[in-house]
Amino acid sequence: MRHTVLAGGVGAARYLQGAIEAFDPADVTAVVNVADDVTLHGLRVCPDLDTCTYTLANAIDPQRGWGLVNESFNAMATLGRYGGIDWFSLGDQDLGTHLYRTQRLTEGATLTEVTAEISAAWGIEATLLPVSDDPIETRVTRAGGEEIGFQEYFVRLAHNVEISSVRFVGLEQARPTAAVIQAIESAETLVIAPSNPIVSIQPVLCVPGIESAVRARRAQNVAVSPIVGGQALKGPADRMLRELGEQATVVGIARRYRDLAATLVIDEVDSEFADEIEDQGMRVIAVPTIMSEPAVARALAETCHQAGQAGQAGASP
């Protein structure tokens, strides 16, 4: 059994934690967004990869949802004293990850190789795959016309500004790795995690070859809505959807994913929209999706896998 997840951010990390509880961790693979990666202080920082890594290692800070637990920020305090860039706060322990990653990349290792080394050091049995070893950058245009990097929008401005467009730089040169394509094509179930559809999932799908590989196996694919009751549980996904002219509801999510997945899993609070989602050509499953407890994440992963199996068999879940 292979359970493959298109992943990015906190929602995906929590889903993955449930998946490794529900299944043999060696059967779980995450294809992770790299478009919010950034180089700061000469170091290559990969926020989505690190959030997935620290979560699966049970080392994530539970309050922030990112970074390491019991972290200190002495290096950032010193950097601030000098007037350096300190709006993107990197913990002292977390810096070790970025130092190692940058060292290995400088030595000629691929991001896939470095990610495997970091995962092994944390004792992670699941496979974390960057969607590409090539650099991709999310760029956000503010409503006034200024284009900025994603981390400037998300962290420096606390995603508290209106946007008019999003684009991904570097896609012309980017290619998925062979391991990523294999993970998609060989999966018994492929899950689109409850991540921001615009800046976490879309940059994964936009890497040449990914969307077509996902579409080709639509019947076995399951998407989990990141929108619950018209709101994102964490982050600006709902606002971004509205600002870009889309519907910030489970119906809007169905419109985004209807060509990619046969099943949409929604929270019970949104069950009233089941008929509208089915009108988009998707099967609907309404279950608890707010992963506030490990048991909920595990049950959600089990539900998704069963839905993918049912899709493969051509039966209703």
Side-chain angles (χ1 to χ4, degrees), residues 54-78:
Y54 297 159
T55 299
L56 294 184
N58 293 315
I60 198 82
D61 185 306
Q63 303 301 319
R64 295 186 308 235
W66 56 269
L68 288 159
V69 70
N70 298 323
E71 186 62 279
S72 58
F73 294 87
N74 297 312
M76 287 294 106
T78 301

Side-chain angles (χ1 to χ4, degrees), residues 64 82 99 128 154 197-198 204 208 220 240 261 286 298-299:
R64 295 186 308 235
Y82 300 142
L99 285 163
L128 299 179
F154 190 74
I198 296 169
V204 170
Q220 300 156 260
M240 295 184 85
R298 175 174 181 152

Side-chain angles (χ1 to χ4, degrees), residues 83-220:
I85 298 173
D86 61 354
W87 52 262
F88 194 98
S89 189
L90 299 173
D92 298 330
Q93 298 176 81
D94 189 32
L95 278 168
T97 299
H98 312 313
L99 285 163
Y100 180 76
R101 178 185 293 118
T102 304
Q103 171 201 328
R104 293 290 290 121
L105 291 173
T106 301
E107 292 170 348
T110 66
L111 183 58
T112 297
E113 291 169 338
V114 179
T115 301
E117 292 166 3
I118 292 172
S119 294
W122 284 102
I124 295 171
E125 297 179 65
T127 301
L128 299 179
L129 297 174
V131 64
S132 177
D133 287 328
D134 302 309
I136 305 165
E137 181 189 3
T138 298
R139 302 287 296 177
V140 176
T141 300
R142 299 177 59 177
E146 178 191 14
E147 186 179 68
I148 56 177
F150 175 71
Q151 297 302 342
E152 292 181 78
Y153 161 75
F154 190 74
V155 180
R156 185 174 68 84
L157 298 175
H159 50 78
N160 195 29
V161 294
E162 186 177 349
I163 66 169
S164 60
S165 66
V166 174
R167 70 184 182 108
F168 309 112
V169 178
L171 290 173
E172 297 82 0
Q173 293 78 35
R175 294 294 179 269
T177 64
V180 164
I181 295 298
Q182 182 181 21
I184 292 171
E185 293 180 343
S186 66
E188 287 190 22
T189 299
L190 183 142
V191 177
I192 301 175
S195 303
N196 188 314
I198 296 169
V199 292
S200 289
I201 300 300
Q202 192 61 31
V204 170
L205 294 169
C206 281
V207 174
I210 296 293
E211 184 169 349
S212 59
V214 172
R215 282 174 179 259
R217 43 159 302 126
R218 176 183 180 273
Q220 300 156 260

